[in-house]
Amino acid sequence: MQKLRVLIVSPALADANNGNWQTAQRWKSLLAPHTVRIVREWPDAQAAQDDIMLALHARRSAAAVQAWFDQRGPKGLGLVLTGTDLYRDIQHDAAAQAALTQAHSLVVLQSQGLQALPQVHHSKTRVIVASGRSRQTLVKTARHLRVVMVGHMRDEKDPRTLMAAAQQLRTRPDIFIDHIGQALDPALGQAAHETQTQCPRYRWLGGLPHAATLQRIQRAHLLVHTSRMEGGAHVLMEALRSGTPVLASRIDGNLGMLGDNYPGVFEVGDAPALADLLQQCRSNQNSFGGLLSHLTALCVKRATLFEPQAERSALHRWVQDLWTH
């Protein structure tokens, strides 16, 4: 295999600690022995040495995609649809639409992503599913239900639905909710503070280091994911690989990772339905055949789709195709 110089353009770097950065960092490792660097903008002083560009997010990396296309055409140019670009930007943003056309090939991060793309681009699109190492499933207390939600707070993540569910459950002494993520929208941070004051078993922990977040996912009985739109949430994969089942909003980005018929879903913004699912999980928490047990079994089975070797092989095939075609 020829060793190439691969450039990953990511709109977020380490300081953001979000899904795009986690993808870029993971891919840098998986693409060894290729030489890989991660940048926010391109071209730069090292641009002439780059063989392949993998650009994350059609709108936010559109300038880099345009610059590569202007200099080199589509050869070596790959574009990854990571979330808001797939489910919002490509419908109306001219730069994002141009990036779709300019790229030699496209990647979506879960099986339903293809449906959101214009038909004309389907033939040059492939699915590459995020991966993570399997983490030990921890023994968890039967005395209460521990719930965690992870994601920096912005409108697309819809954290208010979790807060509203916490309000409905505030008299329950046996359901604890930890909310992890920076307040990218100050109004949402204020709402989290207010919820914490009114609901003694809801805690907003702010942003935490990735390792600490993974530990909390491992210790939780459930991960809650309330997003309005997702390209393929990294945190869902991390929960599945930790043996922690998921309750999630019914959107394509979540169903593409969890399965079309996954029963642990609620409609976007439906806090009463989320609260009801949490109470169902608690009511039969210690019963084999109850909802929590059923979700756990489904997620353990689903976790096998997120093996690192599968993602590594798919990435290397993609890079090789970008180089040779």
Side-chain angles (χ1 to χ4, degrees):
M1 179 180 64
Q2 182 176 355
K3 185 176 179 180
L4 302 172
R5 295 184 64 87
V6 179
L7 170 79
I8 298 176
V9 179
S10 173
L13 300 182
D15 56 336
N17 191 29
N18 66 8
N20 282 327
W21 167 248
Q22 295 297 335
T23 296
Q25 186 181 46
R26 187 177 67 256
W27 283 11
K28 181 177 181 179
S29 174
L30 291 174
L31 281 168
H34 295 308
T35 299
V36 182
R37 66 191 188 99
I38 304 170
V39 301
R40 184 180 277 128
E41 297 177 349
W42 191 92
D44 59 11
Q46 301 177 53
Q49 302 173 45
D50 296 321
D51 298 314
I52 301 290
M53 175 185 284
L54 308 180
L56 306 183
H57 202 284
R59 178 181 59 82
R60 297 181 67 188
S61 295
V65 171
Q66 181 72 59
W68 182 286
F69 185 79
D70 288 345
Q71 292 185 22
R72 310 185 185 194
K75 181 175 173 58
L77 177 54
L79 176 64
V80 190
L81 286 299
T82 64
T84 52
D85 54 348
L86 180 62
Y87 290 107
R88 183 183 63 200
D89 299 334
I90 63 172
Q91 298 170 21
H92 60 79
D93 186 90
Q97 292 165 352
L100 294 183
T101 301
Q102 291 161 349
H104 175 274
S105 56
L106 309 174
V107 159
V108 293
L109 301 177
Q110 39 78 22
S111 59
Q112 294 204 11
L114 190 66
Q115 300 171 20
L117 284 170
Q119 182 72 36
V120 68
H121 297 308
H122 284 197
S123 63
K124 69 174 186 178
T125 303
R126 65 187 73 193
V127 179
I128 299 181
V129 178
S131 70
R133 69 178 181 86
S134 181
R135 303 179 70 84
Q136 180 183 1
T137 301
L138 301 181
V139 177
K140 299 165 188 180
T141 182
R143 295 193 303 271
H144 59 258
L145 187 74
R146 172 72 64 187
V147 181
V148 65
M149 177 162 151
V150 178
H152 296 322
M153 287 195 280
R154 52 193 175 101
D155 183 64
E156 292 88 351
K157 299 292 183 182
D158 194 21
R160 290 186 187 275
T161 292
L162 178 71
M163 298 176 207
Q167 292 281 6
Q168 296 197 17
L169 299 171
R170 64 183 179 275
T171 61
R172 291 290 302 251
D174 54 349
I175 299 178
F176 291 77
I177 300 172
D178 285 344
H179 193 170
I180 299 171
Q182 300 172 21
L184 301 185
D185 179 343
L188 293 173
Q190 181 60 35
H193 276 302
E194 293 171 359
T195 303
Q196 190 168 242
T197 299
Q198 297 160 5
C199 306
R201 281 159 292 280
Y202 166 93
R203 297 189 302 173
W204 176 38
L205 303 178
L208 296 180
H210 189 226
T213 299
L214 285 175
Q215 289 177 355
R216 290 187 180 272
I217 292 172
Q218 279 183 282
R219 293 172 183 153
H221 296 93
L222 285 162
L223 177 111
V224 169
H225 195 65
T226 58
S227 285
R228 303 178 191 275
M229 62 179 74
E230 285 287 353
H234 194 262
V235 72
L236 293 187
M237 175 274 295
E238 291 176 327
L240 297 179
R241 296 294 283 169
S242 300
T244 299
V246 173
L247 296 178
S249 50
R250 189 192 302 274
I251 59 174
D252 286 351
N254 290 340
L255 295 177
M257 297 187 73
L258 298 170
D260 292 349
N261 299 313
Y262 184 72
V265 296
F266 52 92
E267 300 304 324
V268 171
D270 192 344
L274 172 56
D276 182 62
L277 284 169
L278 289 170
Q279 291 181 97
Q280 286 183 55
C281 287
R282 174 55 185 160
S283 67
N284 53 36
Q285 181 173 342
N286 305 312
S287 304
F288 181 77
L291 179 58
L292 183 62
S293 175
H294 183 45
L295 295 178
T296 300
L298 290 174
C299 287
V300 167
K301 184 177 180 180
R302 193 77 177 176
T304 60
L305 299 178
F306 305 96
E307 293 281 354
Q309 185 54 48
E311 186 181 24
R312 180 183 292 110
S313 297
L315 277 173
H316 280 272
R317 283 194 301 270
W318 187 33
V319 166
Q320 189 63 28
D321 288 348
L322 288 170
W323 178 245
T324 58
H325 293 91

